[in-house]
Amino acid sequence: MITYYNDRAVQVTSQAIRVAGRSYPLTALSRVWHRRGQRSWGTVAGRGAIGVALLVPLVAAGLGIALALRLHTTTTTTVLIVGGSVLVGLAAAPLADLLLGRLDLSYSKGARALEIWAEVGGRPTLLVRTADALRFGQIYRALQRALEAAPRY
C-alpha cells in the first residue's frame, strides 16, 4: 500500500481515501471533481484591516510633517514635530514585516472554502472541505495520483 497524503483528518492511499473516520475505496469513486465554496468575508475584512494598519503610521507621519510645516512655530518646535513624525513613520518598518507575513498567510490559506467531491455509488459525496488552499492542493493532487495508479476493472 502506498500513502500519497496523510494528516490527522485525511489519508489518501493506493487503496482508499479516509476522511474523518470514513473510508472510500478508490474503486468506488466513479468521478472526482472540485469546486470553490462560499467566500469568507471575515478573511477579506482581515486583509483590509492589515492594509489599513500598514498605512496608518505612514499617513500619521505625513500629516505630522505637513502640520509642522504649516504651523508658524519656532524652529525647535518644528524640528521636534518633524522628528516625531519621522519616528512614527519609521515605526511602520518592523510593523510592516509582521503584517505582511500575516497577509501572505491569509492568501496561502485562501478566502474560500475548497471542496473535493466524488460520485460514490452514483451519488455526489463531499469528501473534503477546507479553507487551506495549500492543504487542498496537496490532497487533491494526492487523490489524482492515487486514482491514476489504481487498477480499473
Side-chain angles (χ1 to χ4, degrees):
M1 181 172 71
I2 299 170
T3 301
Y4 293 96
Y5 180 84
N6 191 18
D7 69 16
R8 289 184 301 220
V10 178
Q11 182 183 39
V12 179
T13 67
S14 56
Q15 297 175 348
I17 177 170
R18 290 174 188 81
V19 182
R22 300 203 58 184
S23 182
Y24 303 95
L26 295 183
T27 55
L29 306 179
S30 59
R31 186 170 71 110
V32 177
W33 69 96
H34 63 88
R35 70 177 192 203
R36 297 182 342 177
Q38 294 291 337
R39 181 181 307 274
S40 168
W41 290 106
T43 302
V44 174
R47 290 176 186 162
I50 290 172
V52 168
L54 283 168
L55 293 177
V56 165
L58 299 175
V59 169
L63 289 174
I65 291 171
L67 178 70
L69 297 175
R70 290 287 257 170
L71 292 176
H72 298 290
T73 60
T74 64
T75 305
T76 305
T77 305
T78 302
V79 168
L80 286 174
I81 294 173
V82 168
S85 299
V86 167
L87 287 176
V88 168
L90 290 175
L95 179 66
D97 184 47
L98 175 71
L99 292 175
L100 289 173
R102 297 285 303 235
L103 188 64
D104 188 39
L105 182 63
S106 84
Y107 275 100
S108 69
K109 295 279 186 186
R112 292 181 180 267
L114 301 166
E115 303 170 341
I116 299 174
W117 289 78
E119 254 184 41
V120 180
R123 292 188 341 220
T125 305
L126 176 63
L127 299 178
V128 177
R129 180 182 183 147
T130 181
D132 187 336
L134 177 63
R135 180 172 177 254
F136 169 82
Q138 291 172 339
I139 295 169
Y140 193 73
R141 181 64 186 128
L143 185 56
Q144 283 179 324
R145 288 180 22 233
L147 289 168
E148 289 168 0
R152 291 290 175 185
Y153 302 104

